[in-house]
PDB file of all heavy atoms in Angstrom:
ATOM      1  N   SER A  22     109.706  98.575  99.113  1.00  0.00           N
ATOM      2  CA  SER A  22     108.783  98.070 100.128  1.00  0.00           C
ATOM      3  C   SER A  22     107.473  98.822 100.022  1.00  0.00           C
ATOM      4  O   SER A  22     107.387  99.848  99.338  1.00  0.00           O
ATOM      5  CB  SER A  22     109.383  98.216 101.525  1.00  0.00           C
ATOM      6  OG  SER A  22     109.611  99.571 101.828  1.00  0.00           O
ATOM      7  N   GLY A  23     106.456  98.312 100.717  1.00  0.00           N
ATOM      8  CA  GLY A  23     105.184  99.011 100.777  1.00  0.00           C
ATOM      9  C   GLY A  23     104.089  98.439  99.914  1.00  0.00           C
ATOM     10  O   GLY A  23     102.953  98.915  99.945  1.00  0.00           O
ATOM     11  N   GLY A  24     104.398  97.426  99.129  1.00  0.00           N
ATOM     12  CA  GLY A  24     103.367  96.821  98.292  1.00  0.00           C
ATOM     13  C   GLY A  24     102.410  95.984  99.115  1.00  0.00           C
ATOM     14  O   GLY A  24     102.578  95.798 100.327  1.00  0.00           O
ATOM     15  N   GLY A  25     101.388  95.477  98.443  1.00  0.00           N
ATOM     16  CA  GLY A  25     100.422  94.638  99.125  1.00  0.00           C
ATOM     17  C   GLY A  25      99.140  94.522  98.340  1.00  0.00           C
ATOM     18  O   GLY A  25      99.067  94.915  97.171  1.00  0.00           O
ATOM     19  N   LEU A  26      98.123  93.980  99.004  1.00  0.00           N
ATOM     20  CA  LEU A  26      96.798  93.822  98.416  1.00  0.00           C
ATOM     21  C   LEU A  26      95.918  94.984  98.876  1.00  0.00           C
ATOM     22  O   LEU A  26      95.825  95.251 100.084  1.00  0.00           O
ATOM     23  CB  LEU A  26      96.194  92.489  98.856  1.00  0.00           C
ATOM     24  CG  LEU A  26      94.746  92.225  98.462  1.00  0.00           C
ATOM     25  CD1 LEU A  26      94.606  92.158  96.940  1.00  0.00           C
ATOM     26  CD2 LEU A  26      94.252  90.930  99.108  1.00  0.00           C
ATOM     27  N   VAL A  27      95.275  95.634  97.931  1.00  0.00           N
ATOM     28  CA  VAL A  27      94.427  96.780  98.256  1.00  0.00           C
ATOM     29  C   VAL A  27      93.184  96.736  97.375  1.00  0.00           C
ATOM     30  O   VAL A  27      93.234  96.237  96.241  1.00  0.00           O
ATOM     31  CB  VAL A  27      95.209  98.104  98.065  1.00  0.00           C
ATOM     32  CG1 VAL A  27      95.633  98.292  96.626  1.00  0.00           C
ATOM     33  CG2 VAL A  27      94.434  99.295  98.580  1.00  0.00           C
ATOM     34  N   GLN A  28      92.088  97.232  97.896  1.00  0.00           N
ATOM     35  CA  GLN A  28      90.843  97.265  97.126  1.00  0.00           C
ATOM     36  C   GLN A  28      90.873  98.418  96.128  1.00  0.00           C
ATOM     37  O   GLN A  28      91.579  99.422  96.343  1.00  0.00           O
ATOM     38  CB  GLN A  28      89.655  97.422  98.059  1.00  0.00           C
ATOM     39  CG  GLN A  28      89.402  96.212  98.943  1.00  0.00           C
ATOM     40  CD  GLN A  28      88.115  96.340  99.744  1.00  0.00           C
ATOM     41  OE1 GLN A  28      87.564  97.424  99.893  1.00  0.00           O
ATOM     42  NE2 GLN A  28      87.627  95.215 100.248  1.00  0.00           N
ATOM     43  N   PRO A  29      90.129  98.296  95.046  1.00  0.00           N
ATOM     44  CA  PRO A  29      90.024  99.421  94.105  1.00  0.00           C
ATOM     45  C   PRO A  29      89.608 100.697  94.833  1.00  0.00           C
ATOM     46  O   PRO A  29      88.742 100.666  95.711  1.00  0.00           O
ATOM     47  CB  PRO A  29      88.937  98.955  93.127  1.00  0.00           C
ATOM     48  CG  PRO A  29      89.048  97.457  93.156  1.00  0.00           C
ATOM     49  CD  PRO A  29      89.387  97.117  94.575  1.00  0.00           C
ATOM     50  N   GLY A  30      90.263 101.797  94.468  1.00  0.00           N
ATOM     51  CA  GLY A  30      90.019 103.068  95.134  1.00  0.00           C
ATOM     52  C   GLY A  30      90.918 103.328  96.327  1.00  0.00           C
ATOM     53  O   GLY A  30      90.932 104.441  96.865  1.00  0.00           O
ATOM     54  N   GLY A  31      91.656 102.328  96.729  1.00  0.00           N
ATOM     55  CA  GLY A  31      92.541 102.459  97.880  1.00  0.00           C
ATOM     56  C   GLY A  31      93.863 103.122  97.527  1.00  0.00           C
ATOM     57  O   GLY A  31      94.097 103.521  96.380  1.00  0.00           O
ATOM     58  N   SER A  32      94.707 103.223  98.534  1.00  0.00           N
ATOM     59  CA  SER A  32      96.000 103.891  98.389  1.00  0.00           C
ATOM     60  C   SER A  32      97.118 103.033  98.957  1.00  0.00           C
ATOM     61  O   SER A  32      96.904 102.240  99.879  1.00  0.00           O
ATOM     62  CB  SER A  32      95.993 105.234  99.127  1.00  0.00           C
ATOM     63  OG  SER A  32      95.047 106.118  98.578  1.00  0.00           O
ATOM     64  N   LEU A  33      98.281 103.223  98.393  1.00  0.00           N
ATOM     65  CA  LEU A  33      99.515 102.631  98.916  1.00  0.00           C
ATOM     66  C   LEU A  33     100.643 103.629  98.721  1.00  0.00           C
ATOM     67  O   LEU A  33     100.615 104.435  97.781  1.00  0.00           O
ATOM     68  CB  LEU A  33      99.880 101.332  98.182  1.00  0.00           C
ATOM     69  CG  LEU A  33      99.102 100.055  98.509  1.00  0.00           C
ATOM     70  CD1 LEU A  33      99.519  98.936  97.564  1.00  0.00           C
ATOM     71  CD2 LEU A  33      99.300  99.631  99.952  1.00  0.00           C
ATOM     72  N   ARG A  34     101.628 103.536  99.586  1.00  0.00           N
ATOM     73  CA  ARG A  34     102.847 104.331  99.428  1.00  0.00           C
ATOM     74  C   ARG A  34     104.029 103.377  99.354  1.00  0.00           C
ATOM     75  O   ARG A  34     104.319 102.669 100.314  1.00  0.00           O
ATOM     76  CB  ARG A  34     103.034 105.284 100.590  1.00  0.00           C
ATOM     77  CG  ARG A  34     104.170 106.290 100.382  1.00  0.00           C
ATOM     78  CD  ARG A  34     104.515 106.963 101.675  1.00  0.00           C
ATOM     79  NE  ARG A  34     105.321 108.164 101.472  1.00  0.00           N
ATOM     80  CZ  ARG A  34     106.100 108.696 102.426  1.00  0.00           C
ATOM     81  NH1 ARG A  34     106.135 108.153 103.634  1.00  0.00           N
ATOM     82  NH2 ARG A  34     106.805 109.789 102.168  1.00  0.00           N
ATOM     83  N   LEU A  35     104.681 103.373  98.214  1.00  0.00           N
ATOM     84  CA  LEU A  35     105.871 102.558  98.037  1.00  0.00           C
ATOM     85  C   LEU A  35     107.110 103.361  98.413  1.00  0.00           C
ATOM     86  O   LEU A  35     107.179 104.567  98.196  1.00  0.00           O
ATOM     87  CB  LEU A  35     105.992 102.093  96.588  1.00  0.00           C
ATOM     88  CG  LEU A  35     104.788 101.365  95.998  1.00  0.00           C
ATOM     89  CD1 LEU A  35     105.109 100.894  94.587  1.00  0.00           C
ATOM     90  CD2 LEU A  35     104.357 100.208  96.878  1.00  0.00           C
ATOM     91  N   SER A  36     108.085 102.646  98.962  1.00  0.00           N
ATOM     92  CA  SER A  36     109.372 103.252  99.301  1.00  0.00           C
ATOM     93  C   SER A  36     110.484 102.467  98.624  1.00  0.00           C
ATOM     94  O   SER A  36     110.362 101.262  98.398  1.00  0.00           O
ATOM     95  CB  SER A  36     109.597 103.233 100.808  1.00  0.00           C
ATOM     96  OG  SER A  36     108.612 103.969 101.496  1.00  0.00           O
ATOM     97  N   CYS A  37     111.555 103.167  98.326  1.00  0.00           N
ATOM     98  CA  CYS A  37     112.738 102.526  97.766  1.00  0.00           C
ATOM     99  C   CYS A  37     113.950 103.091  98.490  1.00  0.00           C
ATOM    100  O   CYS A  37     114.281 104.281  98.320  1.00  0.00           O
ATOM    101  CB  CYS A  37     112.834 102.776  96.274  1.00  0.00           C
ATOM    102  SG  CYS A  37     114.389 102.250  95.526  1.00  0.00           S
ATOM    103  N   ALA A  38     114.588 102.255  99.290  1.00  0.00           N
ATOM    104  CA  ALA A  38     115.772 102.662 100.042  1.00  0.00           C
ATOM    105  C   ALA A  38     117.010 102.352  99.211  1.00  0.00           C
ATOM    106  O   ALA A  38     117.193 101.214  98.767  1.00  0.00           O
ATOM    107  CB  ALA A  38     115.817 101.937 101.375  1.00  0.00           C
ATOM    108  N   ALA A  39     117.829 103.367  99.026  1.00  0.00           N
ATOM    109  CA  ALA A  39     119.010 103.236  98.170  1.00  0.00           C
ATOM    110  C   ALA A  39     120.288 103.286  98.986  1.00  0.00           C
ATOM    111  O   ALA A  39     120.361 103.990 100.007  1.00  0.00           O
ATOM    112  CB  ALA A  39     119.023 104.353  97.135  1.00  0.00           C
ATOM    113  N   SER A  40     121.290 102.565  98.532  1.00  0.00           N
ATOM    114  CA  SER A  40     122.600 102.605  99.169  1.00  0.00           C
ATOM    115  C   SER A  40     123.668 102.214  98.149  1.00  0.00           C
ATOM    116  O   SER A  40     123.362 101.640  97.099  1.00  0.00           O
ATOM    117  CB  SER A  40     122.642 101.670 100.381  1.00  0.00           C
ATOM    118  OG  SER A  40     122.403 100.339  99.989  1.00  0.00           O
ATOM    119  N   GLY A  41     124.906 102.557  98.485  1.00  0.00           N
ATOM    120  CA  GLY A  41     126.020 102.147  97.634  1.00  0.00           C
ATOM    121  C   GLY A  41     126.355 103.108  96.512  1.00  0.00           C
ATOM    122  O   GLY A  41     127.226 102.813  95.688  1.00  0.00           O
ATOM    123  N   PHE A  42     125.669 104.237  96.469  1.00  0.00           N
ATOM    124  CA  PHE A  42     125.966 105.255  95.464  1.00  0.00           C
ATOM    125  C   PHE A  42     125.488 106.606  96.005  1.00  0.00           C
ATOM    126  O   PHE A  42     124.788 106.672  97.019  1.00  0.00           O
ATOM    127  CB  PHE A  42     125.303 104.934  94.127  1.00  0.00           C
ATOM    128  CG  PHE A  42     123.792 104.936  94.147  1.00  0.00           C
ATOM    129  CD1 PHE A  42     123.075 105.989  93.617  1.00  0.00           C
ATOM    130  CD2 PHE A  42     123.089 103.873  94.696  1.00  0.00           C
ATOM    131  CE1 PHE A  42     121.688 105.998  93.633  1.00  0.00           C
ATOM    132  CE2 PHE A  42     121.707 103.862  94.721  1.00  0.00           C
ATOM    133  CZ  PHE A  42     120.996 104.928  94.189  1.00  0.00           C
ATOM    134  N   THR A  43     125.868 107.665  95.325  1.00  0.00           N
ATOM    135  CA  THR A  43     125.492 109.009  95.762  1.00  0.00           C
ATOM    136  C   THR A  43     124.081 109.300  95.272  1.00  0.00           C
ATOM    137  O   THR A  43     123.864 109.834  94.184  1.00  0.00           O
ATOM    138  CB  THR A  43     126.490 110.054  95.235  1.00  0.00           C
ATOM    139  OG1 THR A  43     127.809 109.668  95.604  1.00  0.00           O
ATOM    140  CG2 THR A  43     126.172 111.428  95.831  1.00  0.00           C
ATOM    141  N   PHE A  44     123.120 108.947  96.098  1.00  0.00           N
ATOM    142  CA  PHE A  44     121.705 108.990  95.731  1.00  0.00           C
ATOM    143  C   PHE A  44     121.288 110.354  95.192  1.00  0.00           C
ATOM    144  O   PHE A  44     120.580 110.448  94.186  1.00  0.00           O
ATOM    145  CB  PHE A  44     120.870 108.630  96.965  1.00  0.00           C
ATOM    146  CG  PHE A  44     119.386 108.693  96.762  1.00  0.00           C
ATOM    147  CD1 PHE A  44     118.721 107.684  96.092  1.00  0.00           C
ATOM    148  CD2 PHE A  44     118.651 109.762  97.277  1.00  0.00           C
ATOM    149  CE1 PHE A  44     117.347 107.737  95.923  1.00  0.00           C
ATOM    150  CE2 PHE A  44     117.286 109.820  97.120  1.00  0.00           C
ATOM    151  CZ  PHE A  44     116.622 108.799  96.439  1.00  0.00           C
ATOM    152  N   SER A  45     121.730 111.407  95.839  1.00  0.00           N
ATOM    153  CA  SER A  45     121.272 112.753  95.472  1.00  0.00           C
ATOM    154  C   SER A  45     121.764 113.201  94.101  1.00  0.00           C
ATOM    155  O   SER A  45     121.313 114.227  93.582  1.00  0.00           O
ATOM    156  CB  SER A  45     121.714 113.762  96.538  1.00  0.00           C
ATOM    157  OG  SER A  45     123.129 113.745  96.648  1.00  0.00           O
ATOM    158  N   SER A  46     122.666 112.445  93.503  1.00  0.00           N
ATOM    159  CA  SER A  46     123.225 112.830  92.203  1.00  0.00           C
ATOM    160  C   SER A  46     122.472 112.246  91.019  1.00  0.00           C
ATOM    161  O   SER A  46     122.785 112.557  89.877  1.00  0.00           O
ATOM    162  CB  SER A  46     124.696 112.389  92.113  1.00  0.00           C
ATOM    163  OG  SER A  46     125.495 113.076  93.051  1.00  0.00           O
ATOM    164  N   TYR A  47     121.471 111.412  91.300  1.00  0.00           N
ATOM    165  CA  TYR A  47     120.843 110.675  90.209  1.00  0.00           C
ATOM    166  C   TYR A  47     119.349 110.927  90.106  1.00  0.00           C
ATOM    167  O   TYR A  47     118.630 111.005  91.111  1.00  0.00           O
ATOM    168  CB  TYR A  47     121.076 109.177  90.381  1.00  0.00           C
ATOM    169  CG  TYR A  47     122.506 108.784  90.129  1.00  0.00           C
ATOM    170  CD1 TYR A  47     123.416 108.736  91.182  1.00  0.00           C
ATOM    171  CD2 TYR A  47     122.951 108.492  88.843  1.00  0.00           C
ATOM    172  CE1 TYR A  47     124.732 108.404  90.951  1.00  0.00           C
ATOM    173  CE2 TYR A  47     124.268 108.158  88.607  1.00  0.00           C
ATOM    174  CZ  TYR A  47     125.157 108.117  89.666  1.00  0.00           C
ATOM    175  OH  TYR A  47     126.466 107.786  89.437  1.00  0.00           O
ATOM    176  N   VAL A  48     118.899 111.011  88.863  1.00  0.00           N
ATOM    177  CA  VAL A  48     117.487 110.932  88.558  1.00  0.00           C
ATOM    178  C   VAL A  48     117.009 109.537  88.938  1.00  0.00           C
ATOM    179  O   VAL A  48     117.695 108.546  88.678  1.00  0.00           O
ATOM    180  CB  VAL A  48     117.251 111.200  87.060  1.00  0.00           C
ATOM    181  CG1 VAL A  48     115.822 110.876  86.663  1.00  0.00           C
ATOM    182  CG2 VAL A  48     117.623 112.628  86.690  1.00  0.00           C
ATOM    183  N   MET A  49     115.848 109.466  89.561  1.00  0.00           N
ATOM    184  CA  MET A  49     115.306 108.178  89.994  1.00  0.00           C
ATOM    185  C   MET A  49     113.973 107.909  89.306  1.00  0.00           C
ATOM    186  O   MET A  49     113.220 108.832  88.995  1.00  0.00           O
ATOM    187  CB  MET A  49     115.122 108.156  91.511  1.00  0.00           C
ATOM    188  CG  MET A  49     116.417 108.245  92.303  1.00  0.00           C
ATOM    189  SD  MET A  49     117.532 106.865  92.019  1.00  0.00           S
ATOM    190  CE  MET A  49     116.582 105.482  92.652  1.00  0.00           C
ATOM    191  N   ASN A  50     113.701 106.634  89.114  1.00  0.00           N
ATOM    192  CA  ASN A  50     112.510 106.210  88.386  1.00  0.00           C
ATOM    193  C   ASN A  50     111.737 105.143  89.152  1.00  0.00           C
ATOM    194  O   ASN A  50     112.332 104.361  89.895  1.00  0.00           O
ATOM    195  CB  ASN A  50     112.903 105.606  87.037  1.00  0.00           C
ATOM    196  CG  ASN A  50     113.794 106.500  86.220  1.00  0.00           C
ATOM    197  OD1 ASN A  50     113.380 107.561  85.759  1.00  0.00           O
ATOM    198  ND2 ASN A  50     115.041 106.095  86.042  1.00  0.00           N
ATOM    199  N   TRP A  51     110.461 105.117  88.925  1.00  0.00           N
ATOM    200  CA  TRP A  51     109.614 103.980  89.301  1.00  0.00           C
ATOM    201  C   TRP A  51     109.101 103.352  88.002  1.00  0.00           C
ATOM    202  O   TRP A  51     108.659 104.066  87.078  1.00  0.00           O
ATOM    203  CB  TRP A  51     108.437 104.405  90.157  1.00  0.00           C
ATOM    204  CG  TRP A  51     108.767 104.611  91.591  1.00  0.00           C
ATOM    205  CD1 TRP A  51     108.994 105.793  92.223  1.00  0.00           C
ATOM    206  CD2 TRP A  51     108.905 103.595  92.599  1.00  0.00           C
ATOM    207  NE1 TRP A  51     109.268 105.589  93.548  1.00  0.00           N
ATOM    208  CE2 TRP A  51     109.219 104.245  93.814  1.00  0.00           C
ATOM    209  CE3 TRP A  51     108.793 102.202  92.600  1.00  0.00           C
ATOM    210  CZ2 TRP A  51     109.404 103.562  95.013  1.00  0.00           C
ATOM    211  CZ3 TRP A  51     108.989 101.524  93.785  1.00  0.00           C
ATOM    212  CH2 TRP A  51     109.293 102.196  94.968  1.00  0.00           C
ATOM    213  N   TYR A  52     109.164 102.031  87.977  1.00  0.00           N
ATOM    214  CA  TYR A  52     108.668 101.247  86.864  1.00  0.00           C
ATOM    215  C   TYR A  52     107.664 100.232  87.402  1.00  0.00           C
ATOM    216  O   TYR A  52     107.606  99.979  88.604  1.00  0.00           O
ATOM    217  CB  TYR A  52     109.803 100.464  86.195  1.00  0.00           C
ATOM    218  CG  TYR A  52     110.930 101.286  85.654  1.00  0.00           C
ATOM    219  CD1 TYR A  52     111.960 101.721  86.480  1.00  0.00           C
ATOM    220  CD2 TYR A  52     110.999 101.602  84.303  1.00  0.00           C
ATOM    221  CE1 TYR A  52     113.015 102.463  85.973  1.00  0.00           C
ATOM    222  CE2 TYR A  52     112.058 102.338  83.782  1.00  0.00           C
ATOM    223  CZ  TYR A  52     113.052 102.766  84.633  1.00  0.00           C
ATOM    224  OH  TYR A  52     114.101 103.500  84.130  1.00  0.00           O
ATOM    225  N   ARG A  53     106.929  99.618  86.500  1.00  0.00           N
ATOM    226  CA  ARG A  53     106.086  98.498  86.880  1.00  0.00           C
ATOM    227  C   ARG A  53     106.024  97.495  85.736  1.00  0.00           C
ATOM    228  O   ARG A  53     106.202  97.853  84.566  1.00  0.00           O
ATOM    229  CB  ARG A  53     104.687  98.950  87.274  1.00  0.00           C
ATOM    230  CG  ARG A  53     103.849  99.522  86.144  1.00  0.00           C
ATOM    231  CD  ARG A  53     102.530 100.049  86.686  1.00  0.00           C
ATOM    232  NE  ARG A  53     101.673 100.611  85.634  1.00  0.00           N
ATOM    233  CZ  ARG A  53     100.532 101.230  85.862  1.00  0.00           C
ATOM    234  NH1 ARG A  53     100.079 101.376  87.106  1.00  0.00           N
ATOM    235  NH2 ARG A  53      99.818 101.705  84.854  1.00  0.00           N
ATOM    236  N   GLN A  54     105.761  96.267  86.118  1.00  0.00           N
ATOM    237  CA  GLN A  54     105.618  95.199  85.136  1.00  0.00           C
ATOM    238  C   GLN A  54     104.464  94.303  85.538  1.00  0.00           C
ATOM    239  O   GLN A  54     104.507  93.663  86.595  1.00  0.00           O
ATOM    240  CB  GLN A  54     106.903  94.392  85.001  1.00  0.00           C
ATOM    241  CG  GLN A  54     106.873  93.402  83.858  1.00  0.00           C
ATOM    242  CD  GLN A  54     108.240  92.862  83.531  1.00  0.00           C
ATOM    243  OE1 GLN A  54     109.171  92.932  84.326  1.00  0.00           O
ATOM    244  NE2 GLN A  54     108.389  92.310  82.327  1.00  0.00           N
ATOM    245  N   ALA A  55     103.451  94.312  84.709  1.00  0.00           N
ATOM    246  CA  ALA A  55     102.295  93.451  84.925  1.00  0.00           C
ATOM    247  C   ALA A  55     102.548  92.102  84.258  1.00  0.00           C
ATOM    248  O   ALA A  55     103.353  92.004  83.326  1.00  0.00           O
ATOM    249  CB  ALA A  55     101.053  94.109  84.346  1.00  0.00           C
ATOM    250  N   PRO A  56     101.858  91.060  84.713  1.00  0.00           N
ATOM    251  CA  PRO A  56     102.046  89.732  84.116  1.00  0.00           C
ATOM    252  C   PRO A  56     101.826  89.755  82.611  1.00  0.00           C
ATOM    253  O   PRO A  56     100.827  90.290  82.127  1.00  0.00           O
ATOM    254  CB  PRO A  56     100.982  88.881  84.818  1.00  0.00           C
ATOM    255  CG  PRO A  56     100.758  89.566  86.121  1.00  0.00           C
ATOM    256  CD  PRO A  56     100.908  91.029  85.831  1.00  0.00           C
TER     257      PRO A  56
END
């Protein structure tokens, strides 16, 4: 969550809520895919 439309120079904070596994045991990643 946390995405949206922002002007150049602006800021956003993305969040990723995890469940169903032991979150603290895993390395976590952020990825992106442009068109």
Side-chain angles (χ1 to χ4, degrees):
S22 62
L26 173 64
V27 62
Q28 292 187 343
S32 297
L33 284 174
R34 189 194 195 202
L35 306 184
S36 299
C37 171
S40 61
F42 64 104
T43 307
F44 177 77
S45 59
S46 295
Y47 289 92
V48 170
M49 295 298 296
N50 307 293
W51 280 100
Y52 301 83
R53 67 185 180 186
Q54 188 166 19

